[in-house]
Amino acid sequence: MARPRSFDPDHVLHAAERQFRTSGYNGTSVDDISTATGLGRGSLYAAFDGKHGVLLQAMTGYFARLAQGPRKMLAGPDEGALERLHAYLLRAVHGVPLAADVPPAPDRTAAACFAAKMALEIGASDPEVKRLANDCFSVVRTAVAECLRAAQRNGDIDPDTDPDDLAYLLLTLIRGTDVMGAAGHSPDRLTSIAESAFALLPRPRHH
């Protein structure tokens, strides 16, 4: 049976992403994806080359979506860099926004980083998933590091601190809140973690 003309690849991939988030890669069958997306098995194989192909394209789409958020939130003039970083950390504890054409996440687990979820489940045995996950982590880390450099230029962060090292630390903390949130810790607790991380940022030593 041919695909209908109204076939929207992005919408299908967003629906598939949501299914993978909910039941994991190994817990999701082609039939599950078919039900979630409204596409028949034959159409899924023709358009995406099966379940693995759907996952890789969904992760690629997620990366494109993810790349916009941190850059937009963290880029700007040096004098506002520290405030932008603070706002970003506070927002990040609520997870990664889902695509505009899918319903809001029902719980904190569903808003966890899609790349991190797939990296934990199958990244060790799947080089393509591992590469895509690292691309997702890298785009966040790079945006955070650039914001930290701007804060250093403005005299708000210790100039002797390595912004790349600090960005890795903050990225690990942000992704770690996904785990804490999924484990049932309250939004207030997650916000407190973000505030603590911000308070611990190395400030200039004034003599």
Side-chain angles (χ1 to χ4, degrees):
M1 183 174 165
R3 286 204 312 270
R5 284 184 180 274
S6 60
F7 170 72
D8 179 352
D10 285 341
H11 183 69
V12 167
L13 291 170
H14 296 163
E17 175 190 326
R18 190 178 180 85
Q19 184 64 47
F20 286 132
R21 283 174 178 279
T22 302
S23 48
Y25 180 74
N26 292 317
T28 298
S29 67
V30 174
D31 285 335
D32 291 333
I33 298 172
S34 179
T35 301
T37 62
L39 273 189
R41 290 173 62 97
S43 296
L44 282 168
Y45 277 100
F48 300 106
D49 197 24
K51 183 170 91 162
H52 192 251
V54 173
L55 175 68
L56 295 181
Q57 288 202 41
M59 287 186 71
T60 300
Y62 173 78
F63 169 72
R65 213 166 71 236
L66 181 72
Q68 300 305 313
R71 283 177 183 155
K72 282 180 182 170
M73 282 197 76
L74 292 167
D78 289 359
E79 59 265 25
L82 196 64
E83 288 80 6
R84 291 194 304 275
L85 185 61
H86 188 204
Y88 178 71
L89 288 173
L90 289 175
R91 177 165 166 193
V93 300
H94 300 296
V96 179
L98 303 184
D101 63 347
V102 299
D107 55 39
R108 184 61 181 75
T109 309
C113 175
F114 182 45
K117 186 175 177 65
M118 292 300 106
L120 280 170
E121 187 183 357
I122 58 173
S125 59
D126 192 318
E128 290 174 289
V129 166
K130 187 177 181 179
R131 178 181 58 78
L132 282 165
N134 276 317
D135 285 348
C136 288
F137 299 154
S138 180
V139 76
V140 175
R141 179 184 54 77
T142 301
V144 170
E146 286 305 312
C147 190
L148 286 165
R149 286 189 180 91
Q152 282 180 318
R153 288 193 297 269
N154 201 54
D156 293 323
I157 293 285
D158 183 349
D160 295 329
T161 300
D162 184 327
D164 291 306
D165 281 351
L166 197 52
Y168 269 113
L169 179 66
L170 291 175
L171 172 64
T172 304
L173 180 127
I174 290 165
R175 290 287 74 94
T177 56
D178 280 350
V179 180
M180 300 298 279
H185 290 268
S186 70
D188 285 349
R189 168 57 61 196
L190 301 181
T191 297
S192 176
I193 292 169
E195 291 285 18
S196 297
F198 183 75
L200 290 170
L201 289 174
R203 302 302 167 86
R205 290 180 291 274
H206 297 292
H207 301 293

